[in-house]
Amino acid sequence: KCRTGPLDIVFVIDSSRSVRPFEFETMRQFMMDIISSLDVGPNATRVGVIQYSSQVQNIFSLKTFFTRAEMERAINSIVPLAQGTMTGLAIQYAMNVAFTTQEGARPLHKKIPRIAIIVTDGRPQDRVTEVATQARNAGIEIYAVGIQRADMNSLRAMASPPLEEHVFLVESFELIQQFGKQFQDKLCGVDMCMEQEHGCQHSCVSTPGSFYCECNPGYRLNVDGKTCSPIDACADGRHGCQHHCVSARGSYSCRCRAGYYLNQDKRSCTMMDYCSFGNHSCQHECVSIPNGHYCRCRSGFTLQPDSSSCRATDLCNGVDHGCEFKCVSTEGSYRCVCPEGQQLQADGKACSKCGAGHIDLVMVIDGSKSVRPQNFELVKQFVNRIVDLLEVSPHGTRVGLVQYSSRVRTEFPLNKYHSADEIKKAVMEVEYMEKGTMTGLALKHMVEHSFSELEGARPLSHNVPRIGLVFTDGRSQDDISEWARRAKESGIVMFAVGVGKAVEEELRAIASEPVEQHYSYSADFTTMTHLVENFKLNICPEEGKGETEIRSPCECEALVQFQTNTVAILQSLTEKNILWAPSLAQMTARVEDLEKQVAKKK
C-alpha cells in the first residue's frame, strides 16, 4: 500500500470514439489498480473520476466515495461517450470544478497534493497549453499518460515539470496494466514521517518530499507547527446559546439558567411553567416566574393576605366615580344610574330629562315604487331633521335605519355610527329600492333584528327607551296587525308617519297608545316638515313649551311622602291601642286640613 499520506487524485479519462470498447476496459482496470494501492478515506486519499470526448462528464467527485468498493462499482458502470477529443476542455473542468472545495478537494493551506492523471490515446482537438499552464499555476500536479496513438508534444504541453517524471507513453493498451505498477511507485514516494523525527504532538502527515503536523479534533495547531492547543468553541461568540456556552475539547454545549430548560434546538431556553404543575391554589390566575410563581386576580378584584384568593373590589367606594345620582359596582367595573324619569347623559355620569337624554331609535322608511325618487330624497331630508334633534353618541342616543319595499334592507344598525354627522352622511347615501310595500315584513324585521343587542340595542335592564318610527305613503301589501302588536308588546314605543295615500287605519294600528300622540299625517311630501316638530313634542313632553303642565317633582314627592308617613304612624298607634277612637278621628281631620293648605300654596 501507498503510505505517503493523503492525496486528492482526479482521473481524467479519454473516452473518444478512437478508443475501442476492449481498449476502454483496460483503462478501467488501470484506474482500479491504482486505487487498490491507495489508502482511501475522508481523511486519507480522496479519488474522483471524469471522462471526456466532445464534452465532459463527472463520474464521481472527490467527496462522493470513501471506499475502494464503491469507487470500483462506479468505474465499472462508466459508459464511454465515443465522440471527439476535447482534452483542453477536460483540464478546464478539472481546474474549475473537480478540484474545488465544494466538490471535496481539501483547502490549499492543508498542503494536500492535488494530482490530475490524464489518460488519452490521440491528439487533442482543442488547445491545451494555456489551460494546462493555468491548472499547474493553481497548484494541480498533472501526469500525462499517452497510449498508442497519443501525441507526445501535447503530452509534454500538459504535464508538470520535471517532464521525465510526469510524461508517460505506453505503446499499447495491453501494456497499460504493467505500466500501472510502475506508476504506483511514482505516486508512492518515501514516507517522510517514518524517515525522520517529525516532532508532531498529535499526528504527522507525509507528503512527497516533506511532511506536516495535524492535531486531533477539538485542538488547533500552534504557531510552531508541531504542538496543539484545545479549541475554545465558545470564544468566537458564534455558538448561538441563549444563556450559557460550555466549551469541551473543540466542541461546546448550551446550558440554561436556573428555572429554565433547554429546548430541542439545544440552544434556546424556555422558562419552566410552575403553574402547569397544578399545585398553585390560585383562585384566578397563576403567573410563572423563574424558580416559582405568584397569584394574580382579574381586573376589579384584590388579592387577599393568603396570596391565593381574590375578593371583588368595590370601585364605587375606591375611586372618584363622578356619578351625579348613584354609582353601582359591577365585577371589575362600575356604572352610573339615574332616578326614574331621568336618563344618563353621554358622559356616562350626569343625569338629564328626555331632551338631553338618550334613546334607541330605529326609523323604518317606505322605499316603494309609489314614493318616487324625488320624494324619496325629501324622506331622507326628513330623517336627517329628526337626527338633528338628538344627542347622538355611543352612550347617548343611537340611531338605526331600515328601508323596505317588496323586501327589507338594514341601511345601518344602531351600533354603526356614533355621531350625527356620520348618520346624516350615511342617510344621504341610501339608494332608493322601489317595487312593493311590505310594511308587515318591515315591522317583523325591526322587532327580530333591528332592536337586538347584536345590532346595538341596549339591554332592557338598562331602561333605555326603544322607539320605532315607521314612515309610509300607501297601503301595505301584507298584514301589519300581528307584528305591530308584537312590537308594542316587546316594549317598543311605536310612531307612525303617513304621507299622501297612507291609510289612517294602518297608521293607528302601528302607533302606540295614546294613538293621537303617536301618529302623524301629511297630505304631501313637500309639506311634511311640521311632522318633525310633532315627533319632538311626543317623544319629549317637557319640550312642549307650556302645552304640557310641568309640576315640581319635589313638591309632589314631599306631599306623597308626608301622607304615607302619617298614615303609617296612625295605623301603628291604632294597633297598639294607644289612641282612643275620638282622638284618631281628630288627627285624621287635621291631616286633611294640612293637605288642603299644601294644595293652596301650589
Side-chain angles (χ1 to χ4, degrees), residues 146-150 168-176 179:
I147 303 174
Q148 202 167 298
R149 300 172 292 275
F168 304 93
L169 185 61
V170 182
E171 295 179 358
S172 67
F173 282 93
E174 290 81 1
L175 298 174
I176 194 169
F179 163 74

Side-chain angles (χ1 to χ4, degrees), residues 17 76 78 110 126 152 189 201 340 366 414 564 584:
R17 68 173 63 91
N76 282 324
I78 297 175
K110 287 187 174 281
D126 56 356
M152 178 56 75
Q201 182 179 353
E340 185 176 358
D366 186 347
L414 288 166
T564 303
L584 178 61

Side-chain angles (χ1 to χ4, degrees), residues 355-585:
H358 56 265
I359 58 175
D360 284 344
L361 171 63
V362 175
M363 288 181 273
V364 183
I365 59 175
D366 186 347
S368 62
K369 187 175 181 179
S370 61
V371 174
R372 301 179 182 257
Q374 63 271 26
N375 290 332
F376 190 74
E377 293 302 312
L378 295 176
V379 172
K380 292 196 290 186
Q381 293 176 19
F382 171 80
V383 169
N384 279 346
R385 289 193 180 186
I386 292 177
V387 173
D388 287 334
L389 301 175
L390 308 171
E391 295 182 4
V392 179
S393 70
H395 299 290
T397 291
R398 299 181 183 179
V399 178
L401 183 65
V402 173
Q403 183 185 174
Y404 72 96
S405 59
S406 297
R407 56 189 178 88
V408 183
R409 182 173 71 202
T410 297
E411 299 297 351
F412 52 84
L414 288 166
N415 56 7
K416 177 72 171 179
Y417 300 113
H418 306 307
S419 71
D421 289 340
E422 289 180 311
I423 292 174
K424 291 166 69 176
K425 182 176 182 294
V427 168
M428 297 312 295
E429 293 175 353
V430 171
E431 295 183 0
Y432 179 36
M433 293 175 70
E434 297 191 68
K435 298 190 178 179
T437 310
M438 302 294 284
T439 311
L441 183 64
L443 290 170
K444 180 177 184 292
H445 180 90
M446 180 194 71
V447 173
E448 293 184 340
H449 300 286
S450 302
F451 281 107
S452 67
E453 292 183 29
L454 182 65
E455 293 202 1
R458 264 74 63 98
L460 291 172
S461 60
H462 288 190
N463 295 319
V464 177
R466 295 182 173 183
I467 296 178
L469 188 152
V470 179
F471 184 98
T472 181
D473 84 322
R475 182 182 296 276
S476 176
Q477 294 174 338
D478 61 351
D479 179 60
I480 65 167
S481 58
E482 179 183 357
W483 285 102
R485 175 180 54 80
R486 288 197 189 186
K488 288 175 280 191
E489 288 176 352
S490 67
I492 302 171
V493 179
M494 296 298 299
F495 288 83
V497 177
V499 177
K501 297 181 180 180
V503 179
E504 181 180 357
E505 180 184 354
E506 291 184 353
L507 297 176
R508 298 178 71 88
I510 294 172
S512 293
E513 295 289 342
V515 173
E516 285 71 18
Q517 294 182 12
H518 291 85
Y519 96 94
S520 304
Y521 175 79
S522 177
D524 190 274
F525 282 91
T526 59
T527 61
M528 64 183 182
T529 54
H530 69 281
L531 300 180
V532 176
E533 189 65 24
N534 291 345
F535 181 71
K536 176 182 178 182
L537 293 175
N538 286 324
I539 63 171
C540 297
E542 68 273 18
E543 302 283 350
K545 300 179 181 178
E547 295 180 17
T548 303
E549 182 181 3
I550 306 298
R551 300 180 63 190
S552 169
C554 297
E555 293 181 6
C556 179
E557 289 172 4
L559 177 60
V560 171
Q561 188 65 42
F562 176 77
Q563 288 176 319
T564 303
N565 292 344
T566 303
V567 172
I569 293 171
L570 291 174
Q571 288 177 345
S572 175
L573 292 173
T574 302
E575 291 172 359
K576 294 180 180 179
N577 296 319
I578 295 176
L579 294 175
W580 294 96
S583 299
L584 178 61

Side-chain angles (χ1 to χ4, degrees), residues 152-327:
M152 178 56 75
N153 290 332
S154 298
L155 297 177
R156 295 171 66 86
M158 293 185 286
S160 296
L163 296 179
E164 59 271 17
E165 293 184 8
H166 292 83
V167 178
F168 304 93
L169 185 61
V170 182
E171 295 179 358
S172 67
F173 282 93
E174 290 81 1
L175 298 174
I176 194 169
Q177 288 185 358
Q178 183 179 352
F179 163 74
K181 295 181 175 60
Q182 299 173 3
F183 189 75
Q184 290 173 19
D185 296 336
K186 293 289 182 182
L187 291 177
C188 300
V190 176
D191 188 343
M192 299 301 293
C193 292
M194 301 294 293
E195 292 295 315
Q196 56 183 307
E197 181 62 35
H198 52 74
C200 297
Q201 182 179 353
H202 285 181
S203 59
C204 174
V205 179
S206 180
T207 62
S210 184
F211 70 90
Y212 64 92
C213 297
E214 274 192 349
C215 297
N216 295 335
Y219 294 81
R220 64 163 58 90
L221 195 65
N222 294 328
V223 292
D224 60 8
K226 296 182 181 294
T227 59
C228 302
S229 299
I231 298 173
D232 184 359
C234 296
D236 60 7
R238 294 181 296 178
H239 48 77
C241 297
Q242 183 177 352
H243 287 180
H244 304 300
C245 176
V246 181
S247 183
R249 290 196 175 186
S251 184
Y252 68 90
S253 61
C254 296
R255 186 177 299 166
C256 297
R257 294 193 294 268
Y260 293 79
Y261 63 87
L262 196 65
N263 294 324
Q264 291 184 350
D265 61 6
K266 302 300 182 185
R267 286 179 170 78
S268 61
C269 301
T270 298
M271 187 174 68
M272 293 181 183
D273 185 4
Y274 288 92
C275 294
S276 65
F277 299 163
N279 58 353
H280 53 74
S281 73
C282 297
Q283 182 179 352
H284 283 184
E285 300 172 2
C286 174
V287 181
S288 282
I289 57 174
N291 298 323
H293 74 279
Y294 67 89
C295 295
R296 181 171 63 193
C297 296
R298 293 191 295 270
S299 176
F301 290 81
T302 304
L303 193 66
Q304 299 304 296
D306 62 4
S307 299
S308 298
S309 60
C310 301
R311 179 176 296 173
T313 303
D314 185 359
L315 293 179
C316 288
N317 292 328
V319 299
D320 183 13
H321 52 76
C323 296
E324 180 181 330
F325 176 69
K326 184 178 180 181
C327 175

